[in-house]
Amino acid sequence: MADQVEIDKAIAAHGMWKTRLRDAIEKRKIDTPAETIRVDNQCAFGKWLYSPALNSVDKASEHYKTVKDLHAEFHKTAAKVVELALDGKRREAEKMIGLDGEYAGISSKLTSAMVGWKKSLG
């Protein structure tokens, strides 16, 4: 069953990624390989999204589908930032996480979708 606490934890955890990405850009290293970051079912929220904790009604909802798609895109985009950072392409990586950047956009959309899903749960 969809759970407001899980969604709250995910909002917080995904919000912290910007700090991790800034650190990766600065230091040109990160503790998690880009290949792992790219996959959307390795973080705690992703594991929950794909788990049996959510029933078929939850997984059929538009909120679930939207969040799942945006979550996958979030991870692909974060991995792209990490790859740029590790390749020394600092300016490109910083542009992606900047206010009008691709990462900033997907992060904002994902957060909005998670907040909407949480509100729909009562």
Side-chain angles (χ1 to χ4, degrees):
M1 184 169 164
D3 183 345
Q4 291 178 335
V5 172
E6 288 296 329
I7 295 170
D8 279 340
K9 288 193 296 189
I11 291 168
H14 288 85
M16 293 179 69
W17 265 98
K18 189 167 188 176
T19 301
R20 290 183 74 189
L21 295 176
R22 282 191 191 284
D23 195 48
I25 293 167
E26 184 67 31
K27 296 178 181 174
R28 287 188 65 185
K29 67 179 184 175
I30 193 164
D31 60 347
T32 307
E35 298 78 32
T36 303
I37 295 167
R38 183 175 290 105
V39 183
D40 71 332
N41 66 354
Q42 295 301 298
C43 69
F45 184 67
K47 289 176 182 176
W48 178 75
L49 271 179
Y50 286 94
S51 78
L54 293 167
N55 61 38
S56 59
V57 173
D58 292 325
K59 291 182 178 181
S61 77
E62 284 306 311
H63 287 291
Y64 174 85
K65 292 175 189 175
T66 299
V67 167
K68 183 175 173 272
D69 290 346
L70 289 170
H71 184 248
E73 190 62 31
F74 173 90
H75 277 271
K76 288 176 191 170
T77 306
K80 193 184 313 183
V81 173
V82 167
E83 288 168 342
L84 289 169
L86 298 180
D87 288 344
K89 297 179 180 175
R90 182 182 186 131
R91 190 174 302 239
E92 292 172 55
E94 287 176 344
K95 184 177 179 185
M96 284 189 73
I97 66 171
L99 285 177
D100 294 328
E102 184 181 349
Y103 171 83
I106 193 64
S107 180
S108 177
K109 287 178 188 174
L110 175 59
T111 299
S112 245
M114 288 192 288
V115 168
W117 190 13
K118 180 184 164 189
K119 285 181 181 175
S120 79
L121 299 174

